[in-house]
Amino acid sequence: MRTRLVPVVLAAVFAAPLAASSASRPPTESQPQAGGVTAYVVPGVRTREQRTTVARTGTDIVEVRRGAVTVLATRTERRALARLGFRVRLLRRPLDFPPADAAYHNYAEANADINQLAADHPATVHLFSFGSSYEGRDLVGIRISNDATDRLDEPGVLYVALHHAREHLTVEVALSIAHLFAESTDPAITQLVATRQIYFLVQMNPDGSEYDIATGSYRSWRKNRQPNAGSSYVGTDPNRNYGYRWGCCGGSSGFTGSSTYRGPSAFSAPEVVRVRDFVDTHPNIRISISYHTYGDLILYPYGYTYTDVPSDMTQLDHDTFVAMAREMARTTGYTAEQSSDLYITDGDYNDWMYGAKRMYPFTFELGGGTFYPGAGIIASESVKNHAAAIYVAQMADCPTRAVGVTCDGSPPPPPPPAPPPPRPVTAVPNSFTIYSGTRTAGDVTALGADDGALLQIASTTSGTRVTSWYGRITGVPNALTALSGTYRGSHSASCSQGVYLYNWSSGTWARFSATTAGTVENEAAFSPTSSLASYVSGPSGNGDVAMRVHCTRSSNFTTSAELMKVTYTPAQQNLLR
Ligand code: 0X9
Ligand code: ZN
């Protein structure tokens, strides 16, 4: 068995991730010397000079082993190697994800999964081809609908994944959403399957993604695998190749070696043409999500300009984008913003879908924090995206409904009925604490009702006689609009009585009642008018209210507490979900 000498991936300079944090930097990536997808082992290559000779044919050396190199080569390059006298052997190792990421679907596995889904749900899952990639891979589309044939009179929604080769998580999320629509028995979803055409283009750049995993270790490849005339650099960035303001604004590169190379002309990349043709022939599509990684973002047009509402966008559409993106940000936890808030692009999917087609596209930058977040993230990231996927399908009949504008001239639906205003709540202590004096009868339950049951506390017995204690009422919200306190009690002899609430902000007892109280039961009732939350412990949520009763006299006495309660009105819940 050969030992691996230096597992060097010569050409792979791994990319700076294109997350929000590195938003202004364009992505970088490896640039192999020429195109090709077939992996070969070239034995007998030992010296740097030999490797240079191999590399000069244009092949991409991806691994250096003892006495051999592994290359990725086109047919032309393979012939060139043969002419130079090198033997090439097909790499037996399958081109696949590293073992740890085996849960990801490569091109064949994704198609197998799609085929199985269609076999399991023949009435609703319909497969189609939307053409071929540059290298001739079939571009497989899924249509989910209870209609056997495509119905352009039904609202359409389109999910696209894998514009960028290394963004493999997008395939997983799109597959998961397809499974959701196909398998769910939730009436809300079956209703969508019955009334919508739900389209998926799950792998729009399969050549690039297969290339990315071709060696069993990632190559950080982004573009497609289309050669560039007169250049050894391969590939066009599909997300810079769409024909709306293509190349207009410094948001793409004209250099073939750049990872954001826009191509020689708009729609020069076959995969982009295939997406265009699909959209052109499906005017029923109203909303689309294009999945990318990573950055936890929901982006809406435009990307070519920082202007929010340029002349090629209506205010209504802008408002609709914002409202829908916000709703999806709520359910995903991602941040909604205009594409150009991330950075300027030109020729991206979003801009063409809106600018040229007047559809409502969103670009999702999924989470994961890296292009290769591992298989562990697949399930959680998929589920996180389900609600947004359902939402766009629901809105596909009339996206402007998001801002209350109906599409059939009917009046907007009435706003949901306002919830009833919060009602006052009365609460009594669940515990008490004695500062001065001694309990002689009763317990905390005696404080809960004006029923003759008493909590009795004997005063101190020397100096100025004192009873001093407080009851603690728990579960009171900090957000409250009214607060009042009531204390009823008597004493075996008259004493100077004060009733207080604890101010948790200042750390002091605030006196609300001062009176001489005797053997006749007296009531102290009071309502603080400001800083109500400071009488509740903690900064937010629920806390405690403490009510203190203090009485002094020159000779012994006993306090009989009959009732202690607070009444509060919780603040209205925030109606914005
Ligand atoms: O640059 C892209 O094509 C997308 N980001 S990624 O990291 N997946 O490559 C973002 C495209 C959205 N458009 C703009 N940001 N203008
Ligand atoms: Zn991307």
Side-chain angles (χ1 to χ4, degrees):
M1 190 177 128
R2 289 173 201 274
T3 28
R4 179 177 291 197
L5 222 196
V6 216
V8 190
V9 179
L10 284 182
V13 178
F14 280 79
L18 195 60
S21 54
S22 61
S24 54
R25 269 181 285 132
T28 58
E29 69 185 13
S30 62
Q31 284 300 339
Q33 298 303 295
V37 284
T38 314
Y40 301 96
V41 176
V42 186
V45 179
R46 291 187 178 78
T47 66
R48 59 184 180 186
E49 288 74 16
Q50 286 173 315
R51 288 195 291 272
T52 301
T53 308
V54 170
R56 280 195 179 138
T57 64
T59 60
D60 187 15
I61 300 178
V62 293
E63 249 173 25
V64 177
R65 294 156 173 261
R66 194 186 298 278
V69 289
T70 306
V71 299
L72 288 160
T74 61
R75 205 179 302 156
T76 316
E77 290 157 359
R78 193 199 56 196
R79 286 200 203 103
L81 286 171
R83 273 198 302 276
L84 288 166
F86 291 106
R87 285 178 295 126
V88 292
R89 231 184 34 228
L90 205 59
L91 187 67
R92 291 268 165 252
R93 201 153 22 102
L95 307 184
D96 205 352
F97 286 95
D101 285 351
Y104 282 86
H105 292 78
N106 64 22
Y107 173 72
E109 290 164 348
N111 286 340
D113 184 78
I114 291 167
N115 286 332
Q116 189 61 52
L117 192 66
D120 292 344
H121 303 277
T124 54
V125 178
H126 316 280
L127 306 187
F128 60 92
S129 169
F130 63 102
S132 301
S133 67
Y134 175 78
E135 289 176 346
R137 289 185 176 84
D138 189 23
L139 299 171
V140 178
I142 312 171
R143 180 177 62 85
I144 300 183
S145 160
N146 67 345
D147 303 303
T149 52
D150 204 352
R151 276 185 57 175
L152 301 185
D153 60 331
E154 278 193 353
V157 59
L158 173 62
Y159 309 91
V160 184
L162 202 65
H163 270 80
H164 290 142
R166 61 194 167 199
E167 298 172 11
H168 304 284
L169 183 60
T170 65
V171 174
E172 305 307 319
V173 169
L175 286 176
S176 168
I177 293 166
H179 277 263
L180 174 74
F181 279 116
E183 292 164 357
S184 175
T185 54
D186 182 323
I189 293 181
T190 53
Q191 169 73 4
L192 291 169
V193 173
T195 58
R196 305 279 185 273
Q197 301 297 320
I198 302 166
Y199 306 105
F200 294 84
L201 310 181
V202 173
Q203 302 180 94
M204 81 79 78
N205 177 13
D207 297 352
S209 71
E210 288 286 280
Y211 181 78
D212 189 54
I213 60 172
T215 63
S217 51
Y218 295 120
R219 305 172 50 88
S220 205
W221 188 255
R222 170 181 167 97
K223 299 187 284 186
N224 72 355
R225 292 295 301 162
Q226 182 179 19
N228 291 305
S231 167
S232 60
Y233 291 117
V234 172
T236 294
D237 182 350
N239 213 28
R240 299 293 184 278
N241 192 239
Y242 286 87
Y244 189 74
R245 297 187 180 252
W246 175 83
C248 70
C249 302
S252 58
S253 173
F255 168 51
T256 55
S258 166
S259 59
T260 55
Y261 177 52
R262 66 177 82 100
S265 56
F267 296 118
S268 58
E271 300 83 1
V272 175
V273 172
R274 304 286 104 86
V275 173
R276 179 196 68 188
D277 291 350
F278 180 77
V279 171
D280 278 348
T281 52
H282 289 82
N284 57 325
I285 295 169
R286 303 306 314 283
I287 310 182
S288 177
I289 298 177
S290 173
Y291 294 100
H292 286 251
T293 65
Y294 56 91
D296 300 272
L297 296 171
I298 294 175
L299 305 172
Y300 51 85
Y302 280 114
Y304 81 85
T305 173
Y306 293 125
T307 306
D308 293 355
V309 193
S311 58
D312 50 355
M313 178 179 282
T314 67
Q315 186 69 48
L316 174 62
D317 286 345
H318 174 265
D319 296 348
T320 301
F321 280 125
V322 171
M324 290 182 60
R326 278 196 188 145
E327 168 59 14
M328 295 190 286
R330 185 182 73 77
T331 58
T332 55
Y334 302 157
T335 300
E337 63 185 26
Q338 188 172 329
S339 298
S340 56
D341 288 343
L342 182 56
Y343 43 72
I344 294 281
T345 58
D346 42 47
D348 86 352
Y349 176 80
N350 264 13
D351 282 14
W352 178 74
M353 283 288 282
Y354 177 69
K357 308 303 294 184
R358 283 295 182 261
M359 296 172 182
Y360 292 87
F362 296 88
T363 291
F364 277 34
E365 296 284 359
L366 302 174
T370 155
F371 291 119
Y372 305 111
I377 197 174
I378 292 174
S380 58
E381 202 64 19
S382 297
V383 170
K384 193 188 278 186
N385 275 277
H386 283 180
I390 294 166
Y391 174 72
V392 290
Q394 284 170 332
M395 298 300 285
D397 62 325
C398 182
T400 55
R401 199 170 55 237
V403 289
V405 176
T406 57
C407 297
D408 57 3
S410 64
R423 299 236 288 266
V425 177
T426 296
V428 297
N430 2 43
S431 65
F432 67 91
T433 301
I434 297 174
Y435 285 142
S436 301
T438 309
R439 186 182 70 90
T440 55
D443 60 21
V444 71
T445 60
L447 298 171
D450 190 359
D451 58 358
L454 302 173
L455 169 65
Q456 293 190 304
I457 297 169
S459 68
T460 54
T461 53
S462 63
T464 299
R465 304 335 193 230
V466 183
T467 60
S468 186
W469 60 282
Y470 69 90
R472 185 182 279 258
I473 297 126
T474 59
V476 181
N478 263 275
L480 72 184
T481 56
L483 176 67
S484 61
T486 302
Y487 172 73
R488 286 182 72 84
S490 62
H491 308 277
S492 60
S494 65
C495 55
S496 299
Q497 176 185 289
V499 182
Y500 307 74
L501 290 182
Y502 192 66
N503 185 320
W504 300 83
S505 304
S506 63
T508 56
W509 288 99
R511 193 171 68 188
F512 286 96
S513 161
T515 186
T516 300
T519 54
V520 177
E521 198 170 281
N522 71 90
E523 178 172 299
F526 50 92
S527 303
T529 50
S530 61
S531 311
L532 303 186
S534 61
Y535 299 108
V536 182
S537 66
S540 61
N542 289 351
D544 299 350
V545 172
M547 190 189 302
R548 178 179 177 184
V549 182
H550 180 98
C551 221
T552 57
R553 176 186 166 81
S554 56
S555 59
N556 293 352
F557 69 98
T558 296
T559 293
S560 295
E562 169 66 76
L563 175 70
M564 182 179 277
K565 65 179 182 182
V566 294
T567 300
Y568 57 87
T569 307
Q572 182 97 44
Q573 286 300 304
N574 186 358
L575 290 176
L576 293 172
R577 291 175 302 152

